[in-house]
């Protein structure tokens, strides 16, 4: 079990920014995919952004490219998602996820099946 705890969600107007965080405990990053997913009411969960902890690659869904940035702070064992220029369609529950040790190419697809550990989620609401 790998505890992942999200925080930082909230309500913001369209065009605003939020940064959500994911505290990781119980293991070192080693070489894993770490990602953010979201699920809006009545919709399937979708991948938003991911990174490979063994390298420098980051991966984004087309819908958030240029607006969202995924990053991590190794010293704080924390994963971040900086969200700028938010739109009402970004409204969703956002989940942090981690895979077991893997290779970099598995992260790029933003596929749920890659991930073995999930947080409980943090709500992001964007009003128009």
């Amino acid at each position: 079990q790998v505890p992942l705890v999200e925080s930082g969600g909230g309500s913001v107007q369209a065009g605003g920014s939020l940064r959500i965080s994911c505290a990781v405990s119980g293991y070192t990053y080693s070489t894993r995919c770490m990602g953010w997913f979201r699920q809006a009411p009545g919709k399937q969960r979708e991948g938003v952004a991911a990174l490979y902890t063994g390298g420098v690659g980051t991966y984004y869904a087309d819908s958030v490219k240029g607006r969202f940035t995924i990053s991590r702070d190794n010293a704080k064992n924390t994963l971040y998602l900086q969200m700028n220029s938010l739109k009402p369609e970004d409204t969703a529950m956002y989940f942090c996820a981690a895979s077991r040790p893997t290779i970099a190419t598995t992260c790029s697809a933003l596929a749920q099946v890659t991930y073995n550990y999930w947080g409980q989620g943090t709500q992001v609401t964007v009003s128009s």
Side-chain angles (χ1 to χ4, degrees):
Q1 194 72 13
V2 178
L4 302 171
V5 180
E6 301 94 336
S7 63
S11 297
V12 65
Q13 288 192 327
S17 298
L18 272 178
R19 187 178 76 164
I20 55 178
S21 303
C22 174
V24 183
S25 61
Y27 75 106
T28 60
Y29 279 114
S30 65
T31 51
R32 306 171 185 269
C33 300
M34 296 290 300
W36 289 98
F37 289 75
R38 66 186 181 186
Q39 187 167 19
K43 295 188 176 181
Q44 291 187 338
R45 190 175 297 189
E46 62 174 355
V48 175
L51 58 78
Y52 180 62
T53 63
V56 297
T58 54
Y59 313 95
Y60 297 93
D62 288 343
S63 59
V64 306
K65 279 181 183 176
R67 300 189 298 122
F68 290 11
T69 303
I70 187 172
S71 63
R72 63 190 174 113
D73 185 328
N74 291 343
K76 296 181 179 179
N77 273 358
T78 302
L79 183 74
Y80 300 102
L81 185 67
Q82 176 67 43
M83 303 180 289
N84 298 328
S85 301
L86 282 160
K87 304 175 181 180
E89 51 263 44
D90 294 318
T91 295
M93 185 72 77
Y94 282 73
F95 298 90
C96 172
S99 74
R100 295 193 181 103
T102 186
I103 58 175
T105 53
T106 61
C107 306
S108 61
L110 296 174
Q112 293 187 58
V113 295
T114 300
Y115 296 84
N116 308 97
Y117 310 104
W118 294 84
Q120 295 301 307
T122 186
Q123 178 68 37
V124 172
T125 302
V126 185
S127 58
S128 57

